[in-house]
Amino acid sequence: GQQVMQIPQYQHVQEGEDFTTYCNSSTTLSNIQWYKQRPGGHPVFLIQLVKSGEVKKQKRLTFQFGEAKKNSSLHITATQTTDVGTYFCAGPSNQAGTALIFGKGTTLSVSS
Amino acid sequence: DAGITQSPRYKITETGRQVTLMCHQTWSHSYMFWYRQDLGHGLRLIYYSAAADITDKGEVPDGYVVSRSKTENFPLTLESATRSQTSVYFCASSVTGNTEAFFGQGTRLTVV
């Protein structure tokens, strides 16, 4: 069945270091979304990418959608303690066509 | 501006009991979803609904029942709770099925 995989599962960085999480889908996606979940919180939408090769930036966060629309990445420049949390990628489900399938997430911890 | 609310936030129940988790949204979004979140598994889709009286199974529907008589409500019922259903349950809604999803605060359910 369709799978959305994320690596790494966990990442610990020192404040100020960069961080990247990668998302790979077993199928081509019409769009890919990224969500952030703070510890004890709920997932919150960050961004959606639609076009092949698309790159979007939100302050220190850079999101990319691969040319084949099967992979994506989230890069955070100069991490801060406020970046702590779990980052999920998600794409439209092939099984449940009108729902999202999520990757397992990358949990980021930051020490100051 | 309540958005999407879940109740209860925490629930402890005994094996074999029936329990219902409530979800209410104020946006009149057509689509609503139930996910469960377990360590190491990320977010897994249980059921989803495209509109009132239209529901469909997700990835892990066994042991769960849903209904949607009104657009704004999407309750999830565990007919006979099992320990394996101990989890954090998130309800979400969206305008279309596979774009930005808005999550509730979650219900932490423990089955003893």
Side-chain angles (χ1 to χ4, degrees):
Chain A
Q2 181 187 17
Q3 292 186 13
V4 175
M5 296 151 285
Q6 279 186 259
I7 56 170
Q9 187 174 359
Y10 301 97
Q11 181 79 56
H12 176 79
V13 299
Q14 295 287 326
E15 190 172 23
E17 292 182 337
D18 292 356
F19 160 77
T20 304
T21 174
Y22 299 92
C23 177
N24 290 286
S25 170
S26 58
T27 61
T28 301
L29 300 171
S30 60
N31 72 72
I32 194 155
Q33 299 167 38
W34 286 91
Y35 292 77
K36 177 182 178 181
Q37 183 178 24
R38 295 183 186 274
H42 59 281
V44 175
F45 175 84
L46 292 176
I47 206 162
Q48 176 175 292
L49 305 171
V50 178
K51 298 177 182 177
S52 170
E54 188 170 14
V55 178
K56 286 189 176 180
K57 293 190 176 183
Q58 289 180 347
K59 298 183 181 178
R60 295 178 295 104
L61 278 60
T62 301
F63 304 84
Q64 292 187 327
F65 200 9
E67 294 291 340
K69 301 184 75 172
K70 295 181 70 173
N71 57 73
S72 180
S73 64
L74 159 59
H75 179 81
I76 302 178
T77 303
T79 55
Q80 300 175 358
T81 54
T82 54
D83 296 323
V84 164
T86 300
Y87 293 85
F88 293 97
C89 63
S93 169
N94 287 348
Q95 176 202 1
T98 51
L100 294 172
I101 180 170
F102 283 78
K104 294 183 179 180
T106 296
T107 299
L108 172 66
S109 58
V110 180
S111 54
S112 56
Chain B
D1 175 79
I4 182 164
T5 55
Q6 294 182 233
S7 62
R9 292 292 311 280
Y10 304 91
K11 176 74 176 179
I12 300 174
T13 192
E14 294 179 339
T15 300
R17 289 194 178 267
Q18 181 180 85
V19 60
T20 296
L21 310 183
M22 305 301 293
C23 179
H24 176 79
Q25 54 115 347
T26 60
W27 293 307
S28 299
H29 286 169
S30 294
Y31 291 85
M32 296 188 74
F33 313 91
W34 276 105
Y35 289 90
R36 61 177 289 175
Q37 184 173 34
D38 306 288
L39 201 62
H41 290 279
L43 292 157
R44 292 182 291 175
L45 182 66
I46 305 171
Y47 269 95
Y48 67 102
S49 169
D53 298 322
I54 301 174
T55 62
D56 211 342
K57 297 178 180 179
E59 181 185 357
V60 289
D62 293 345
Y64 303 96
V65 174
V66 294
S67 62
R68 195 165 175 209
S69 57
K70 293 183 178 181
T71 300
E72 61 266 31
N73 297 323
F74 192 37
L76 176 74
T77 298
L78 287 67
E79 295 186 296
S80 178
T82 65
R83 289 196 181 90
S84 65
Q85 293 177 310
T86 293
S87 185
V88 179
Y89 291 85
F90 286 102
C91 178
S93 70
S94 68
V95 175
T96 65
N98 53 23
T99 53
E100 179 180 358
F102 297 85
F103 284 81
Q105 303 280 22
T107 295
R108 183 174 294 276
L109 176 68
T110 303
V111 183
V112 299

